[in-house]
Amino acid sequence: MKRNRRLFGGGPQMTEASLQQGFSRRAFVINSFQTGVAALLAARMGYIAIGENERYRDLAESNRVQTRLIPPRRGWIVDRHGQPMAINRADVRVDLIPDFITDREKLLADLARILGLPPEAVQRIRDRLENDRGFQPVPVAEHLNAQQYNMLKVREPDLPGVSVLEGFARFYPEGAAVGHLLGYVGTPNRREYDAENQNPLLITPGYKVGKEGLERVMEPRLRGRPGQARVEVTARGQLVRQLQTLPDSPGAPLRITVDAGLQSFAARRLGEESGSCVVLDCTSGDILCMASMPAYDPNAFSDGISHPEWEMLSTDPRHPLINKTLNALYPPGSTFKPAVAMALMEAGVDPDETVNCPGGYQLGSRRFGCLGTHGPMNMHRAIAKSCNTYFYTMGRRIGIDRFSAMAKRLGLGQRFGELPVVSQSYGTIPDPAWKQRRYHQEWSQADTLNAAIGQGYVILNPLQLAVMAARIASGRDIQPRLIMEPHQPPALLPFAGPSFEAVRSGMDEVVNGNGTAGASRLPFPDIRMAGKTGTAQVRNIVDANRGRAGTAWRYRDHGLFVFFAPVGAPRYAGAVVIEHGLGGARAAAPVACDVMTYLFDKDRAMQRLLPLEAGWGGNVVERSARRAALWNDRAPGSPPPPPPVPL
Amino acid sequence: MALAFVPRSISFLPWKALLIVCSIASIGAVGLYSTSPGGGGGMMPYALPHVMRFSIFLVMALAMSYVKPERYSEFVFVAYAGVILMLFATMVIGEVGGGARSWLNLKLIRIQPSELMKPVLVIVLARFYASVPPREILRWSAIWPAAIMVGFPTLIILAQPDLGTAMLIACCTIVMMFLAGLSIWLFLGGFLLIAAAMPIVFSFLLMPHQRDRVLIFLNPESDPLGAGYHLTQSKIAIGSGGLFGKGFLNGTQASGDFLPEPHTDFIFAAIAEEWGLVGGLVLILLFAMLLRWGMRVSRDARSRFEKLAAAGMTATIFFYASINLLMVMGLAPVVGIPLPLVSYGGSAMLTVMLCLGVLMSIDRNTRKNARR
């Protein structure tokens, strides 16, 4: 019995009856246990559903209801006459929410098929999905057409991670003509997001901030206030229904001083050249046009441009990414002479005093050349003929300090602090103190001679030249303005009336008399344009070898022209700079002439522009499309095709 | 008491039990209707198959009720051997579902042999303890054969690995041993031993994901988006329902996909959200009534085998339902156990209906003998 001995000794022997009795007792225990569990469950449920009902109801509500930001519509940018220059177009965009994607490759394949995405776009999305972490949406495509939109909308539930949003996209009707002026918008980057204390608006899909130009500087004014949509969503972020919507308040429209028509005309008139054209209202300082060409198309930039597009723009020797009105600096050449002439008058030089021009000026053993052998020159004729010898002689007589001070007073080398632009390169108006500071060298007489004809250390941007022309034309302290808002009329400059008159009549002679720009007279009997040509050396070469037509494009001289009109009662003033245009009279003055013509007679100006454009091979859009096609067709790895060289 | 015009074969059916299970299954169908994916409710893909499956199993259970209890006793070892074979087959050619290799695809039907094992083991144990002479009941010989017969398939199921089913079998076995009359000290001692072994099991035997489940059960808010998400969302569903619920088809937790598995493991939470405390209590009450009926069948049964079998079947249903309910209310760790008759899916329903079939067979036998 050892093997089968009882586990627990004692107690009576078990019988059928006692077992039966035990079963009933124990069944009662089990029954009670089950009842106990049921009671526990009932109590627990009561506690959750009644006791904590409020808390869990809130939690269910915050599960279900999501507040989404509605990106505010950006304020329009309109020109001085109210014509829209930057507007918002209804748009449909597609983004991917990385967290919700289940099968990435299948999804990308589906999207590529529905949207017709090229392989490099798919690869870009894949890279961003791999590298970007977290909830930040990855943009896929914008500007969907109706068919793509419908196909995606129908399939959206089967494509987890795809978000199709109806919103607004920025549109610039004038395209590249306003590229540098207005800038463009783009998806905020990490730095911008952090700079605004991680404002959730900035990571809302489809929201864009100003990246360049006025869009960037005027961002706070253009932005507006976001709206809010309370929507019911599923755990996967799918929209169930809209609950209530607080509409966004759009940004205020921004009226700028620019004349959209003039801006567009100037950009077109610059044609294939690399250059800029600035026109001011010389009674108020309003910038009527500030064109820099070639330029990027801000519409393409606002959508996010592709790598090949970027490469094409950044390797173009004509620098379409640089705003040449503000950020390119040129030696002004002879366009500097009106400023020197002003200084001569203020220094008491008699405008009728003549200087004989034998074709140059001898300083010690060095000879400083003139473009002609002009004979006896007074101030009026010296301006008209752009005689260097006169300005060498007279500039040296009054000294560098006097005419550099005058140049600064006329706006040259100055930064215009009130101007809402991203950056200004303001260049140099040299004087002895500056040279000592910069190069630790003594100022020499040769430096004075060079400066007197706008060469040597003098470098300026085109806007400054336009301001100089405007101040000479109006006699007022013109400050360039871009935003239409109430302002004080500019004060008079503290210079004598005859000084202005002498310089203005010299500039009148340049165009309308026996001067350097006689070919660029305005085609009106009663309206005259005054101006001053300039030709700036790119390379310091001896006279005979200056950058003439035979040399490579990038070594050719810049052509410059400053102007104002009408001569009797100046209203407009400006400057045109054509890079490597060979000469001011040849390249820049005709542009200025046509732009001024536009201001007085649009039809006549267009009649002159159209044949020119036909000769260049179409309008701006057609030409840039052809250039892009040429770029894309080049063999991989080969150097970029040479840009068409203007002659 | 029976109406005269009702044929005896009809009036003799266990109407009370049938009414209870039909009510439970109907509530399940209503819940499944409203958890139809995409919101708005629908017969497909859950409610209609659920009703059809239940109807088939109900016919099966009724058919089983006409089989004499002794027959189950006689053929149980054949069934036992068969299910063991199926368990082995599952190890080799089984299909993985819910993380465990527990499905056997028999072309016509896909079943989980571990589910079949539950009622079979109940009958095996009932037959064994019915055959143990009263004086032997306190000896080793009353334990080790049962331990082997239960332990062997349980180990296979553990290896699948299906911890939930193995635990369920273990609990049922303990209840049956308790009812069979084994010494009370065995259970008290065992309870103390398990309590003492808990920390060791927790830190050395459980796999990391099982350990996480326990930790998250103790503090679900610690991981609101990970494994604790299930529990938190389940409690939100029940809690936001309040007294009368949000109304049929108005639940947002299930239709918004916040509540995971609203048609299987968390169906109770989905129902409670729409029907509130009242709806939940009705369901709990119906289960309690079913169990009470089962224990009464056990109490009234004539033979020791029938008593033990009926109690074991009832215990199986009890553990099934209570573990699920404890889980969805955050009183037990999340183990993948559905709510029988309510959740979508055939396995749990099959087990419960097999149990019901045997219970009705015992009930019929008892009442037939009582009339003689």
Side-chain angles (χ1 to χ4, degrees), chain B residues 245-288:
Chain B
K246 297 175 185 168
F248 184 49
L249 296 182
N250 286 338
T252 54
Q253 285 287 104
S255 66
D257 286 337
F258 297 104
L259 183 66
E261 310 277 338
H263 61 289
T264 56
D265 292 2
F266 288 94
I267 184 77
F268 182 82
I271 292 172
E273 189 189 9
E274 294 193 350
W275 301 97
L277 179 65
V278 173
L281 287 183
V282 165
L283 199 50
I284 294 174
L285 191 72
L286 283 169
F287 270 108

Side-chain angles (χ1 to χ4, degrees), chain B residues 131-205:
Chain B
S131 69
V132 174
R135 57 190 153 72
E136 300 269 318
I137 200 67
L138 293 179
R139 295 173 198 270
W140 266 119
S141 56
I143 298 175
W144 64 262
I148 288 173
M149 282 184 293
V150 174
F152 184 53
T154 307
L155 284 177
I156 298 178
I157 291 166
L158 261 181
Q160 280 178 348
D162 187 350
L163 187 66
T165 306
M167 266 173 55
L168 227 112
I169 290 177
C171 289
C172 284
T173 308
I174 290 167
V175 167
M176 289 194 67
M177 286 177 160
F178 178 71
L179 288 170
L182 263 55
S183 167
I184 193 78
W185 299 110
L186 211 53
F187 298 98
L188 291 177
F191 180 77
L192 287 176
L193 205 68
I194 288 170
M198 263 320 197
I200 299 161
V201 169
F202 177 75
S203 33
F204 296 111
L205 292 181

Side-chain angles (χ1 to χ4, degrees), chain B residues 198-268:
Chain B
M198 263 320 197
I200 299 161
V201 169
F202 177 75
S203 33
F204 296 111
L205 292 181
L206 290 186
M207 290 196 238
H209 78 272
Q210 292 167 330
R211 208 174 307 158
D212 285 348
R213 278 187 183 176
V214 176
L215 284 176
I216 287 156
F217 155 63
L218 294 174
N219 183 16
E221 271 81 14
S222 69
D223 187 14
L225 288 177
Y229 179 81
H230 291 50
L231 248 178
T232 309
Q233 295 301 335
S234 173
K235 283 201 281 187
I236 290 175
I238 298 170
S240 62
L243 185 57
F244 295 106
K246 297 175 185 168
F248 184 49
L249 296 182
N250 286 338
T252 54
Q253 285 287 104
S255 66
D257 286 337
F258 297 104
L259 183 66
E261 310 277 338
H263 61 289
T264 56
D265 292 2
F266 288 94
I267 184 77
F268 182 82

Side-chain angles (χ1 to χ4, degrees), chain A residues 276 278 280 287 290 324-332 335-336 339 407-416 419 424-429 458-472 478 480 560-562 573-577:
Chain A
S276 51
V278 180
L280 304 177
I287 296 176
M290 197 160 75
K324 297 186 188 91
T325 59
L326 292 169
N327 295 319
L329 295 170
Y330 309 93
T335 56
F336 191 61
K408 289 173 185 166
R409 196 67 195 81
L410 293 175
L412 302 179
Q414 304 304 297
R415 192 171 166 276
F416 303 107
L419 202 61
Q424 303 177 48
S425 307
Y426 45 93
T428 306
I429 294 298
V458 185
I459 46 170
L460 304 167
N461 71 35
L463 176 65
Q464 292 166 348
L465 285 173
V467 169
M468 176 194 79
R471 288 188 185 173
I472 289 173
I478 296 297
L560 301 91
F561 190 67
V562 296
V576 172
V577 177

Side-chain angles (χ1 to χ4, degrees), chain A residues 1 3-8 10 12-16 19-20 22-31 33-35 37-50 52-61 63-64 232-236 240-241, chain B residues 134-141 143 175 177-187 221 229 233 235-236 238-243 246 252-253 255-258 268 272 276-277 280-281 284 291 295 298 304 307-308 311 315 318 322 325-326 329-331:
Chain A
M1 267 329 244
R3 190 175 55 91
N4 221 356
R5 105 188 125 80
R6 279 169 63 181
L7 275 176
F8 302 96
Q13 190 81 357
M14 278 289 181
T15 63
E16 195 80 34
L19 215 52
Q20 174 63 47
F23 182 89
S24 301
R25 256 202 322 268
R26 289 186 178 197
F28 178 75
V29 172
I30 296 293
N31 235 334
F33 177 67
Q34 292 180 351
T35 312
V37 170
L40 173 70
L41 286 171
R44 169 71 172 174
M45 195 180 168
Y47 174 67
I48 296 177
I50 305 299
E52 298 201 295
N53 173 248
E54 207 161 313
R55 177 174 152 234
Y56 284 124
R57 216 171 40 206
D58 289 349
L59 284 171
E61 199 68 3
N63 260 348
R64 179 177 75 97
E232 187 173 334
V233 292
T234 70
R236 296 198 296 166
V240 179
R241 63 180 147 250
Chain B
R135 57 190 153 72
E136 300 269 318
I137 200 67
L138 293 179
R139 295 173 198 270
W140 266 119
S141 56
I143 298 175
V175 167
M177 286 177 160
F178 178 71
L179 288 170
L182 263 55
S183 167
I184 193 78
W185 299 110
L186 211 53
F187 298 98
E221 271 81 14
Y229 179 81
Q233 295 301 335
K235 283 201 281 187
I236 290 175
I238 298 170
S240 62
L243 185 57
K246 297 175 185 168
T252 54
Q253 285 287 104
S255 66
D257 286 337
F258 297 104
F268 182 82
L277 179 65
L281 287 183
I284 294 174
L291 296 172
M295 287 310 283
S298 166
R304 188 164 154 75
K307 277 180 185 299
L308 284 169
F318 165 74
S322 62
L325 291 177
L326 288 168
M329 291 188 206
L331 292 173

